[in-house]
Amino acid sequence: MKRIKVGLIGCGTIGARLAEVITQEIEGMDLVAVSDLVEEKAMNLVSRLSSGITIKSIEEIAGGVDLVIEAASARIVPEVVISAISKKKDVLIMSTGGLLERLDLLESARQQGVHIFLPSGAIAGLDGLKAANSAQITSVCLRTSKPPAGLKGAPFIVEHGIDLDNISQPKMIFRGNAIEAARGFPANINVAATLSLAGIGPARTKVEIVADPNLTRNVHEIEAEGDFGRIVTRCENLPAPSNPRTSYLAVLSAIALLKEMTDSVRIGT
Ligand SMILES: NC(=O)c1ccc[n+]([C@@H]2O[C@H](COP(=O)([O-])OP(=O)(O)OC[C@H]3O[C@@H](n4cnc5c(N)ncnc54)[C@H](O)[C@@H]3O)[C@@H](O)[C@H]2O)c1
């Protein structure tokens, strides 16, 4: 199998861990370039890893690589995908919420033969949902429950003046579709985006967000119904060691996807 050269955008919680795994654990994959808005973060990461990794700008990163990994911000996702498609490079996107208003890019990638990889992130059940999508799915609902502090600063909370400090029992604070959820909770809701793209699309995927003061973990529950029957999943996520806003399972799902790319055995849909 041909070795895969990787360029990484974003050297934070997810990016730094993926960089370590690529350089230390994945046979057949080489990290050749990294980029970060904060150059010091890129420099720190490179100095910790093996030599031969260069620091580049986002515009330059797709040159000389086979795969671009975005682990930075939803805002730059369209730019990253457009650049990857124009250079015929595959791309793995972590900030999947950034794709919701640019679904045309998925079609462009298909037409150009470019792969876009979207890890499952912090949820379970995408395997079954993808299989179910080969027949009719009638409904998909994601209920995300978080400790109130985990929702602070989200545009929906700010716009509606929701006082998260005085919530004493579980409270449903948002109900809408995945597009509305991505706008209102851009830093929290990549799972809704990924779920909707794997299932019945962002307009039909329902999202509920609950602020629950009894929780110490972020909980994602999925309920889907269709010709196949019914799927119910529940993930109780621990945070990643260096970022309380990122679930550790999301980091692990990207690692698993990268490992699968270099493995000739593929398990699950
Ligand atoms: N798919 C999922 O389930 C899932 C789960 C968790 C996080 N995420 C998303 O993945 C992304 C990374 O998460 P994280 O926990 O590593 O965040 P983080 O804040 O720890 O790291 C992000 C890094 O990207 C850099 N960055 C930000 N904007 C940039 C830009 N425009 N250009 C270059 N670098 C930039 C930051 O300086 C930082 O080093 C976030 O957008 C987050 O929302 C997705």
Side-chain angles (χ1 to χ4, degrees):
M1 209 181 268
K2 180 178 168 271
R3 294 188 75 80
I4 299 171
K5 288 188 193 150
V6 179
L8 170 71
I9 303 171
C11 302
T13 305
I14 297 177
R17 184 65 196 128
L18 296 184
E20 285 166 4
V21 170
I22 291 167
T23 51
Q24 292 158 14
E25 290 178 33
I26 305 186
E27 276 299 319
M29 207 172 253
D30 299 307
L31 183 66
V32 298
V34 299
S35 178
D36 199 289
L37 201 58
V38 183
E39 203 182 345
E40 204 185 339
K41 285 194 160 195
M43 289 192 316
N44 285 344
L45 182 62
V46 167
S47 69
R48 281 198 285 121
L49 300 172
S50 56
S51 59
I53 302 168
T54 50
I55 297 174
K56 291 188 174 178
S57 67
I58 297 184
E59 298 76 40
E60 295 167 336
I61 201 104
V65 303
D66 307 300
L67 171 71
V68 175
I69 298 177
E70 177 284 323
S73 153
R75 234 173 311 135
I76 63 163
V77 166
E79 174 192 345
V80 170
V81 175
I82 289 166
S83 160
I85 291 173
S86 72
K87 296 186 172 91
K88 295 258 164 63
K89 304 296 168 83
D90 293 338
V91 60
L92 183 152
I93 297 294
M94 286 310 304
S95 313
T96 47
L99 279 171
L100 282 188
E101 302 204 22
R102 291 302 311 267
L103 296 183
D104 58 302
L105 293 177
L106 303 183
E107 207 36 57
S108 303
R110 286 186 177 110
Q111 281 167 13
Q112 297 298 320
V114 165
H115 294 104
I116 298 185
F117 298 100
L118 307 177
S120 305
I123 44 173
L126 289 196
D127 51 353
L129 195 66
K130 278 162 62 185
N133 223 356
S134 296
Q136 282 293 319
I137 298 175
T138 46
S139 70
V140 180
C141 181
L142 167 72
R143 175 180 288 192
T144 292
S145 304
K146 296 192 171 194
L151 296 162
K152 275 197 175 155
F156 185 89
I157 301 289
V158 176
E159 275 160 33
H160 291 79
I162 298 170
D163 180 5
L164 292 166
D165 293 328
N166 287 309
I167 290 180
S168 56
Q169 52 189 333
K171 185 174 180 194
M172 174 96 61
I173 54 168
F174 172 87
R175 211 185 239 134
N177 67 21
I179 301 168
E180 292 155 351
R183 283 190 199 130
F185 300 86
N188 293 286
I189 209 73
N190 289 299
V191 287
T194 310
L195 177 70
S196 68
L197 294 174
I200 53 177
R204 290 178 60 209
T205 302
K206 293 182 199 134
V207 178
E208 297 173 349
I209 296 184
V210 176
D212 186 343
N214 305 318
L215 289 179
T216 52
R217 299 175 179 186
N218 293 340
V219 177
H220 298 295
E221 293 163 297
I222 293 168
E223 197 171 326
E225 289 199 54
D227 291 347
F228 67 97
R230 183 161 168 258
I231 292 172
V232 179
T233 72
R234 175 183 168 96
C235 281
E236 297 181 7
N237 287 312
L238 290 171
S242 58
N243 185 351
R245 285 180 178 270
T246 288
S247 296
Y248 189 35
L249 188 63
V251 186
L252 297 176
S253 89
I255 292 172
L257 181 55
L258 290 174
K259 287 184 172 170
E260 195 176 72
M261 281 182 206
T262 56
D263 193 345
S264 25
V265 179
R266 195 163 288 208
I267 300 167
T269 43

